[in-house]
């Protein structure tokens, strides 16, 4: 066992507590990563507030760092490799075999249940179990244990501190545009919600796909200023009802694509009528489990519209994450404009700022 520092969510608490923990050596197929920085994603707060992940637990699933030790059976990684850590998948079900691991048959146990599939955890505090392996990482920590299959190498000239969110938020938004919807050059798209996922979608749509009309929609004016800076051609504040005229003025006949990143079902469903004929609405956020979506059946059918769910941007992580990083380096994916860095000691502030919308993508740096 090795001593590490981690931010622990204890039973009945909302704030995280910085603790010294002990971490196991990597088991078969695992890698021990020294975390350099880790992003905060809305799903961390969903896991904090929902009852699915047992406590005490270390959250965090947008980690990046340096490989410290590889476990038995690991090939392709060695101590000293710079890596981004993405979500976990089994690697052997039919969806994993078709390179869309976001639909892995074991996605929820592997990512949400705070343990390996055999129920074991890799962390302890004074001999008592602390839940680990959240999204195959639990990276609100100086070190974490990850399946080698969740790791993606990061080039020497890429800033490691910025790499973690490519494993979740950035690939979710950009992947919806590039992998799921395959937005063509010249298309029109509305992105609902100007958080990290939405703004990654905006940047990818405008600068990578070459969409002509990219409408960012939010209720916060400040976020829409950032949307314009990363590629929105139009920024609209308000609800679907208020915006109908402005959307139709920006894109006569309706928009070809809508991506909902708000997680607000009642808001998202108001956009189906604003789609052009044969347009697609993609649902990419966390939605309350009891929500149901409603649409006019005849109008959907006769207009050839589609509503699709998208997990993790339909990303095949080993190919898609490096390609997105190359787009960042070429200036086509300016996600550095979304980021604010915090020290580990400020992690609760980083979460609070993310929740009230003061920071778009908070990234927590680990002490050296
Ligand atoms: C989440 C997105 C919402 C559904 C579950 C997985 N991914 C990462 O945060
Ligand atoms: Zn996430």
């Amino acid at each position: 066992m090795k001593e590490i520092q981690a931010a622990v969510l204890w039973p009945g608490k909302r704030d995280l507590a910085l603790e010294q923990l002990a971490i196991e050596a990597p088991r078969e197929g695992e890698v021990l990563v020294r975390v350099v920085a880790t992003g905060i994603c809305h799903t961390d707060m969903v896991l904090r507030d929902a009852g699915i992940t047992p406590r005490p637990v270390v959250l965090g699933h947008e980690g990046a760092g340096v490989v410290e030790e590889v476990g038995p059976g690991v090939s392709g990684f060695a101590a000293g490799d710079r890596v981004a850590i993405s979500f976990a998948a089994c690697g052997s079900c039919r969806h994993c075999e078709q390179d869309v691991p976001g639909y892995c048959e074991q996605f929820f146990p592997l990512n949400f249940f705070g343990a390996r599939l055999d129920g074991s955890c890799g962390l302890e505090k004074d001999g008592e179990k602390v839940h680990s392996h959240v999204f195959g990482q639990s990276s609100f920590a100086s070190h974490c244990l990850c399946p080698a299959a969740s790791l993606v190498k990061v080039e020497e000239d890429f800033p490691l501190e910025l790499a973690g969110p490519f494993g979740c938020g950035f690939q979710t938004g950009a992947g919806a545009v590039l992998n799921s919807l395959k937005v063509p050059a010249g298309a029109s798209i509305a992105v609902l919600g100007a958080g990290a996922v939405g703004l990654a979608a905006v940047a990818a749509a405008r600068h990578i796909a070459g969409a002509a009309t990219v409408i960012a929609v939010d209720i916060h004016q400040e976020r829409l200023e950032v949307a314009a800076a990363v590629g929105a051609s139009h920024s609209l504040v308000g609800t679907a009802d208020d915006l109908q005229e402005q959307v139709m003025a920006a894109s006569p006949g309706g928009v070809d694509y809508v991506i909902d990143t708000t997680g607000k079902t009642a808001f998202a469903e108001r956009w189906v009528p604003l789609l052009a004929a044969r347009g697609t609405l993609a649902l990419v956020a966390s939605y309350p489990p009891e929500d149901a979506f409603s649409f006019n059946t005849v109008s959907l059918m006769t207009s050839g519209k589609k509503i699709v769910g998208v997990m993790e941007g339909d990303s095949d992580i080993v190919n898609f994450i490096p390609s997105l990083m190359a787009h960042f380096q070429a200036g086509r994916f300016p996600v550095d404009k979304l980021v604010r860095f915090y020290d580990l000691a400020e992690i609760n502030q980083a979460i609070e700022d993310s929740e009230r919308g003061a920071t778009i993508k908070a990234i927590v740096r680990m002490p050296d």
Side-chain angles (χ1 to χ4, degrees):
M1 294 288 240
K2 172 190 169 76
E3 286 285 296
I4 67 160
Q5 257 198 297
V8 178
L9 178 64
W10 289 99
K13 296 281 194 254
R14 203 176 143 85
D15 274 357
L16 308 181
L18 293 189
E19 307 278 4
Q20 296 283 120
L21 303 182
I23 195 165
E24 278 183 359
R27 293 193 186 179
E28 180 83 23
E30 285 184 346
V31 170
L32 176 69
V33 176
R34 176 176 64 78
V35 178
V36 166
T38 182
I40 290 175
C41 169
H42 175 67
T43 304
D44 291 311
M45 284 76 108
V46 172
L47 295 184
R48 177 198 61 194
D49 298 337
I52 333 161
T53 314
R55 285 110 218 259
V57 64
V58 176
L59 300 172
H61 66 277
E62 290 189 339
V66 178
V67 171
E68 203 159 281
E69 190 184 341
V70 300
V74 171
S75 59
F77 290 98
D81 286 348
R82 307 165 89 241
V83 290
I85 316 166
S86 197
F87 61 92
C90 76
S92 55
C93 71
R94 68 197 174 102
H95 307 296
C96 286
E97 277 182 352
Q98 288 168 11
D99 298 327
V100 276
Y103 308 98
C104 174
E105 287 171 3
Q106 306 279 15
F107 188 92
F108 288 94
L110 279 169
N111 291 289
F112 282 20
F113 290 2
R116 299 183 185 92
L117 280 187
D118 65 6
S120 66
C121 300
L123 298 172
E124 284 182 10
K125 171 79 182 165
D126 303 330
E128 298 292 320
K129 171 164 155 172
V130 172
H131 289 274
S132 63
H133 289 77
V134 169
F135 275 77
Q137 51 186 291
S138 291
S139 55
F140 287 166
S142 62
H143 295 75
C144 64
L145 289 169
C146 331
S150 302
L151 300 180
V152 175
K153 284 196 189 154
V154 176
E155 297 285 348
E156 282 305 317
D157 59 351
F158 189 92
L160 203 45
E161 290 186 328
L162 198 63
F166 283 75
C168 189
F170 296 164
Q171 75 174 347
T172 296
V177 170
L178 302 170
N179 301 324
S180 322
L181 299 175
K182 297 185 171 40
V183 170
S188 58
I189 179 168
V191 178
L192 314 183
V197 173
L199 294 181
V202 164
R206 191 72 185 278
H207 301 302
I208 306 176
T213 305
V214 180
I215 305 171
V217 183
D218 203 293
I219 48 172
H220 301 292
Q221 186 59 46
E222 326 79 70
R223 289 189 166 222
L224 291 172
E225 280 154 28
V226 186
V230 300
S233 59
H234 298 72
S235 295
L236 305 180
V237 181
T239 66
D241 293 338
D242 311 334
L243 298 178
Q244 181 165 1
E245 239 174 69
Q246 293 172 75
V247 172
M248 291 301 167
S251 185
V255 281
D256 301 321
Y257 303 96
V258 175
I259 296 180
D260 175 60
T261 75
T262 69
K264 305 215 178 312
T265 307
F267 179 59
E269 68 186 9
R270 309 300 292 267
W271 287 77
V272 177
L274 302 187
L275 281 170
R278 304 181 63 230
T280 305
L281 164 63
L283 302 172
V284 314
S286 274
Y287 297 90
E290 64 282 3
D291 275 15
F293 199 94
S294 88
F295 53 84
N296 182 278
T297 323
V298 169
S299 128
L300 190 90
M301 186 263 174
T302 55
S303 59
K305 293 179 185 177
K306 300 182 218 31
I307 301 166
V308 295
V310 177
M311 281 288 277
E312 304 289 346
D314 282 335
S315 174
D316 162 17
I317 62 168
V318 285
N319 293 310
F320 188 58
I321 292 176
S323 85
L324 263 190
M325 288 180 168
H327 284 304
F328 166 76
Q329 288 179 302
R332 289 185 293 268
F333 192 54
V335 284
D336 52 332
K337 296 201 167 94
L338 314 181
V339 162
R340 177 161 163 207
F341 290 100
Y342 296 78
D343 291 332
L344 176 59
E346 303 169 311
I347 192 165
N348 289 309
Q349 186 66 51
I351 292 172
E352 192 192 315
D353 289 356
S354 307
E355 289 193 286
R356 68 190 166 88
T359 298
I360 294 175
K361 174 54 72 182
I363 297 183
V364 175
R365 288 189 181 112
M366 295 303 146
D368 291 330

